[in-house]
Amino acid sequence: RREKLEEVNSSTECFGFAKFVHRHDGGSTEWRPVLAERRQAAMEGQPGGFPVSFVHCPVVATAETRTGSLPEEMTKAIVDEASLLLAPLDPVILESAASEHQRYLLQAPKLAAEGRSEADIVKILNDRMDAQSRARRADRHAQDEEGSEEELPPPITLRDVRRALRR
């Protein structure tokens, strides 16, 4: 069975709606259907946008569109989170892409059951992840291993913890 566009909800892309700004119409806006992509790992937890591809691109005939191809600005964009509404109740692209996060996020329900707030859980999990990273670095240093510095994963966010608690 072929997946309907409205049902797309994978780890790489998700159906939703994004605000489209009409540059040649006084900056008016409308919400258009899109396929939104996962943010790049380096961008997670930082301000920035989601790459989107607009599904429908109605245009007025211009010299640019007579060539048969639409300008990329009409079909693709980077939109901030406030200009993006993801359709699924639980969009998979919002899950943390950092594999190291997963084992720490499994600890979130137990911490919540102990009465910890979501903000406390974020701090505890990040502290545990940082301590583990420091211990690995110290261990490698003690063994006199050379090599490049290990790249640290981005910090666990409040959104990550909330998603882990909803599972």
Side-chain angles (χ1 to χ4, degrees), residues 4 10 38 43 50-51 76-77 94 97 121 133-134 143 151:
K4 292 180 184 177
S10 71
R38 175 184 286 283
M43 293 173 52
F50 288 83
K76 296 187 178 293
L94 295 181
I121 294 170
S133 294
R134 282 192 304 275
Q143 294 175 9
E151 190 171 313

Side-chain angles (χ1 to χ4, degrees), residues 1-92:
R1 152 177 133 78
R2 189 173 172 162
E3 185 176 35
K4 292 180 184 177
L5 181 65
E6 296 84 9
E7 295 173 352
V8 173
N9 185 20
S10 71
S11 61
T12 56
E13 63 182 359
C14 176
F15 178 74
F17 296 88
K19 196 179 287 188
F20 181 84
V21 179
H22 294 272
R23 291 186 308 128
H24 303 294
D25 187 25
S28 65
T29 60
E30 70 174 295
W31 288 88
R32 289 189 176 176
V34 295
L35 281 177
E37 299 173 23
R38 175 184 286 283
R39 292 172 59 181
Q40 301 299 321
M43 293 173 52
E44 285 191 21
Q46 299 175 15
F50 288 83
V52 299
S53 296
F54 291 99
V55 175
H56 304 291
C57 301
V59 294
V60 176
T62 65
E64 297 169 323
T65 60
R66 288 188 196 121
T67 62
S69 63
L70 294 171
E72 188 170 295
E73 68 191 47
M74 300 199 75
T75 60
K76 296 187 178 293
I78 303 291
V79 298
D80 63 17
E81 201 165 339
S83 298
L84 180 64
L85 176 62
L86 298 174
L89 290 175
D90 195 18
V92 179

